[in-house]
Amino acid sequence: MAGGRFAPALRITRGEGLGRRIPCRRIVTLVGSRPGCKVNLQHPAVAPVHLALVHTGSRWLACDLATLRGTRHNDLPLRVDEMLDGSVLALGPWEFRVEIAPTDPEAPGAGIDLDASPGDPTLEHLGTRRLFQPARDVCLIGRRSGCDIAIEDEEVSRVHAILFKHHDRAVIADVLASVPLRINGEPRRFAHLHQDDVIEVGRTQFRVRFPRGVHAATPGGNGVAEPPATPEATAKETDLVDIRTAEGKHWPVADRLERLRKNSMPSGS
């Protein structure tokens, strides 16, 4: 997966390999102890897939993959942060300095699927038809409770996939999941998302919706017009979403959404 118009790299400033510079040219660069990670670090404090470095086309983001021991950015706990030239990342016994150099502005950028849908996607959980609109630059989907969408399913990895935007187009990438991510029934490691694509994470399915067609049937969809959305269904769900709980018809965000609904009602109603 090619990068964009700047060239990020990691330089080891503490730990084994001191002084080594590691170019990161992929859209998603994985750091961890599992074979297949671009930056492979063998240590008990490093998770199998510990950190994702995500190239959006204009920014470079670091995302801790809901690890138990965490990652630090400039000596603060990392969730998702933009990396700048000189930023410092630390995990286990290693420390890395981020180096970002501009490339030739005339050089071609990353390959972009121009047919991919622009804008922010909404995921419709096909078990409950509830909607989830990611509220972070990098959304984690997996079994671990620290994921933005947490799914209790033995076929789902602790962090299974990440959802983000590349050149303003929604994309999804699996992070060395033991059971591959599937898009419209096909195994995919990386994919641009389109209206009505079906994402399969283990046995859980989501339909991709974009603003222009969230509540209407579209070509390639299920052919059934959806009912008008309720305030609870359309509000941004910025809290963690537990799919197992959702299938039981109770969502952790329900109380917050109910408060939002009540606060939006005219006084005296």
Side-chain angles (χ1 to χ4, degrees):
M1 292 183 285
R5 294 176 183 264
F6 59 91
L10 297 176
R11 189 176 296 276
I12 300 174
T13 55
R14 186 182 70 209
E16 185 178 351
L18 182 67
R20 180 184 174 193
R21 183 178 184 274
I22 306 167
C24 300
R25 300 186 181 94
R26 303 174 180 179
I27 293 176
V28 179
T29 298
L30 298 178
V31 180
S33 61
R34 179 174 294 171
C37 289
K38 162 73 174 179
V39 184
N40 191 264
L41 305 175
Q42 296 297 319
H43 191 275
V46 178
V49 189
H50 195 109
L51 178 71
L53 297 159
V54 176
H55 200 320
T56 71
S58 59
R59 299 189 297 158
W60 205 41
L61 306 176
C63 176
D64 181 83
L65 297 177
T67 59
L68 295 176
R69 298 187 182 234
T71 306
R72 298 188 73 80
H73 171 217
N74 295 338
D75 210 29
L76 295 173
L78 171 74
R79 179 67 187 267
V80 180
D81 281 338
E82 181 175 2
M83 296 294 97
L84 303 175
D85 190 53
S87 291
V88 175
L89 288 169
L91 61 154
W94 281 274
E95 186 176 271
F96 301 87
R97 186 177 71 248
V98 173
E99 297 181 352
I100 297 179
T103 59
D104 181 355
E106 300 301 320
I112 305 170
D113 178 355
L114 295 178
D115 292 328
S117 298
D120 296 315
T122 297
L123 301 186
E124 177 192 8
H125 179 239
L126 295 188
T128 61
R129 305 198 74 183
R130 292 301 299 263
L131 305 179
F132 174 71
Q133 187 174 23
R136 299 183 178 94
D137 289 324
V138 181
C139 170
L140 303 186
I141 303 172
R143 197 174 71 241
R144 180 158 281 171
S145 60
C147 292
D148 300 281
I149 301 179
I151 305 170
E152 185 166 298
D153 178 347
E154 65 273 12
E155 292 187 7
V156 175
S157 297
R158 284 186 266 186
V159 177
H160 200 102
I162 55 176
L163 178 67
F164 61 99
K165 290 171 71 176
H166 179 246
H167 287 283
D168 293 323
R169 306 277 168 165
V171 296
I172 192 167
D174 95 1
V175 288
L176 302 180
S178 55
V179 176
L181 182 75
R182 300 179 78 88
I183 308 294
N184 301 325
E186 297 294 326
R188 299 291 298 273
R189 290 295 183 184
F190 178 88
H192 290 82
L193 296 177
H194 306 77
Q195 183 81 320
D196 289 321
D197 279 348
V198 174
I199 299 170
E200 295 179 49
V201 184
R203 293 188 294 267
T204 300
Q205 295 183 318
F206 300 92
R207 190 178 301 282
V208 178
R209 304 294 198 184
F210 287 93
R212 67 176 183 272
V214 172
H215 300 295
T218 55
N222 56 20
V224 179
E226 297 181 26
T230 62
E232 290 82 1
T234 56
K236 274 195 175 184
E237 296 171 0
T238 56
D239 301 81
L240 301 183
V241 177
D242 183 335
I243 294 301
R244 180 195 60 169
T245 307
E247 291 170 343
K249 307 300 183 185
H250 171 75
W251 284 58
V253 297
D255 292 341
R256 188 182 67 83
L257 293 175
E258 179 63 16
R259 287 197 299 271
L260 287 173
R261 187 186 68 80
K262 288 181 178 179
N263 291 340
S264 67
M265 294 175 62
S267 59
S269 61

